[in-house]
């Protein structure tokens, strides 16, 4: 069966739920936020951001949402910077209501590229969680890196109205700290790449408030985890760290906490509210998300 994988945000994939709404079907998979089936193909959107087209008409359907354009531009995925010693930084958990925010910076040299490719290193959004959990321990052992996890409880203490950080500045702080700590332990890299989550101007504005600074120039690139192996390594380690935190919080509460911020998260949040009150959400979720209000509304029904 033909299968094509894209990432939510690539091409016109964000338009899929609206344009294929008449073909929507139910899915029992808790990690699927949207499912649709046409005569020739089906499409699944996972809470991780992965979009999978399957069936004999998968390529045709995917092309309607920009897949062909991505193929034609695939050469851009291997910039000249791959031949440099790189620090790549990425974060996971930013779009998930439950779980913490994980940021990882990794140092990769060109002589490690062949091994990493053979291992199957890729953007974490293109790998299932089983593969992530297999790869991460190997990468953690072999690749110099710094991993930071901001737990939901700590996140809620520092992010929000009237608090030290907003949702962007807290990521700036974590990326800056992870890179700073890694620079203390590795040779000076030829380049530092951050998977762009905000503009460079915005980043530089927020980083001024941080205690630790370094003089290495930074490069900000969108979808950098698909272009640079150093960023891909960071995305895998960060994803695994996020998943481990989600597992831990699930065990502590007795509820299976989903990733993402869809309807499933609203329902689980309302159950946690009913069982533990607001302190339960403070311990497991990012309170400034709209899911908090949705969960409270569900509880009142």
């Amino acid at each position: 069966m033909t299968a094509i994988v894209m990432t939510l945000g690539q091409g016109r994939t964000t338009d899929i739920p609206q344009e294929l709404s008449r073909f929507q079907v139910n899915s029992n998979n808790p990690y699927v936020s949207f499912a649709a089936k046409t005569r020739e193909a089906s499409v699944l959107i996972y809470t991780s951001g992965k979009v999978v087209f399957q069936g004999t008409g998968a390529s045709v359907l995917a092309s309607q949402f920009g897949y062909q354009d991505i193929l034609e531009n695939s050469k851009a995925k291997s910039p000249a910077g791959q031949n440099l010693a790189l620090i790549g930084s990425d974060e996971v958990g930013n779009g998930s209501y439950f779980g913490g925010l994980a940021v990882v910076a990794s140092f990769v040299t060109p002589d490690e590229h062949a091994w990493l490719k053979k291992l199957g290193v890729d953007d974490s959004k293109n790998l299932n969680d089983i593969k992530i959990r297999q790869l991460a321990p190997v990468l953690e052992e072999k690749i110099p890196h710094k991993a930071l996890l901001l737990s939901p409880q700590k996140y809620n203490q520092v992010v929000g109205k009237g608090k030290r950080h907003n949702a962007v500045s807290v990521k700036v702080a974590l990326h800056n700290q992870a890179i700073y700590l890694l620079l203390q332990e590795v040779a000076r890299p030829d380049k530092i790449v951050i998977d762009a989550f905000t503009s460079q101007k915005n980043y530089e504005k927020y980083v001024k408030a941080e205690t630790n600074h370094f003089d290495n120039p930074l490069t900000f690139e969108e979808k950098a985890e698909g272009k640079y192996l150093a960023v891909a390594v960071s995305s895998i380690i960060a994803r695994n760290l996020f998943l481990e935190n989600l597992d831990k919080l699930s065990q502590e509460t007795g509820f299976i906490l989903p990733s993402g911020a869809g309807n499933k998260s609203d329902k689980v949040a309302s159950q946690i509210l009913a069982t533990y009150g607001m302190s339960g959400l403070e311990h497991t979720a990012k309170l400034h998300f709209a899911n908090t209000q949705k969960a409270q509304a569900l509880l009142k029904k």
Side-chain angles (χ1 to χ4, degrees):
M1 180 183 290
T2 301
I4 291 175
V5 178
M6 295 175 68
T7 300
L8 196 62
Q10 280 187 321
R12 297 177 49 252
T13 50
T14 53
D15 296 331
I16 289 174
Q18 180 179 353
E19 295 192 14
L20 297 184
S21 59
R22 65 186 185 281
F23 299 110
Q24 185 172 3
V25 295
N26 292 326
S27 173
N28 294 324
N29 188 331
Y31 299 107
V32 171
S33 60
F34 178 84
K37 187 173 184 179
T38 68
R39 182 176 297 179
E40 302 294 338
S42 63
V43 58
L44 299 173
I45 299 179
Y46 290 86
T47 54
S48 64
K50 183 170 68 173
V51 182
V52 179
F53 298 86
Q54 292 179 312
T56 56
S59 61
V60 175
L61 184 60
S63 293
Q64 293 177 18
F65 294 97
Y67 182 66
Q68 198 61 40
D69 294 334
I70 293 168
L71 283 180
E72 291 172 357
N73 293 325
S74 61
K75 291 182 180 180
K77 292 188 69 176
S78 298
Q82 285 283 33
N83 297 320
L84 305 175
L86 280 169
I87 283 181
S89 186
D90 200 7
E91 84 277 341
V92 172
N94 177 60
S96 180
Y97 179 57
F98 289 111
L101 177 59
V103 173
V104 176
S106 301
F107 180 64
V108 172
T109 57
D111 59 355
E112 293 166 318
H113 287 183
W115 172 72
L116 289 171
K117 290 177 180 178
K118 185 177 180 180
L119 198 62
V121 170
D122 194 2
D123 173 7
S124 67
K125 298 184 186 69
N126 295 331
L127 302 172
N128 62 40
D129 289 344
I130 294 175
K131 187 67 173 178
I132 292 288
R133 293 180 190 272
Q134 291 173 341
L135 287 176
V138 179
L139 297 176
E140 289 169 356
E141 180 182 355
K142 301 293 186 181
I143 301 296
H145 69 282
K146 286 297 177 182
L148 303 176
L149 176 74
L150 190 65
S151 69
Q153 189 137 20
K154 182 64 177 178
Y155 184 97
N156 292 322
Q157 290 173 5
V158 299
V159 178
K161 188 175 180 180
K163 297 179 181 178
R164 179 180 176 184
H165 288 292
N166 57 41
V168 175
S169 69
V170 73
K171 287 190 287 184
V172 170
L174 290 170
H175 277 275
N176 178 73
Q177 183 68 359
I179 295 170
Y180 173 83
L181 292 174
L182 186 57
L183 284 170
Q184 312 308 305
E185 300 181 2
V186 300
R188 185 179 178 91
D190 298 314
K191 190 175 184 178
I192 299 177
V193 179
I194 295 178
D195 185 48
F197 57 88
T198 189
S199 68
Q200 184 165 353
K201 182 179 179 181
N202 218 23
Y203 185 99
E204 291 173 350
K205 178 185 73 173
Y206 286 127
V207 82
K208 290 177 182 177
E210 297 306 307
T211 302
N212 296 322
H213 296 93
F214 48 86
D215 60 3
N216 308 64
L218 300 175
T219 298
F220 297 81
E221 289 196 32
E222 293 184 359
K223 306 188 188 308
E225 67 276 22
K227 301 175 184 177
Y228 299 94
L229 285 169
V231 184
V233 167
S234 291
S235 75
I236 291 170
I237 296 175
R239 176 69 182 171
N240 186 61
L241 187 58
F242 168 78
L243 290 173
E244 288 179 341
N245 181 241
L246 209 58
D247 289 344
K248 177 176 179 289
L249 295 172
S250 295
Q251 292 172 2
E252 290 174 354
T253 60
F255 292 96
I256 298 176
L257 305 181
S259 61
N263 294 335
K264 180 76 173 179
S265 295
D266 300 338
K267 294 176 182 177
V268 174
S270 68
Q271 294 170 341
I272 290 176
L273 271 176
T275 305
Y276 299 104
M278 185 56 73
S279 63
L281 287 186
E282 290 174 351
H283 183 66
T284 58
K286 303 176 184 74
L287 294 183
H288 69 85
F289 277 43
N291 301 81
T292 301
Q293 288 71 42
K294 293 177 182 178
Q296 290 170 330
L298 283 174
L299 193 61
K300 293 178 181 178
K301 289 184 178 180

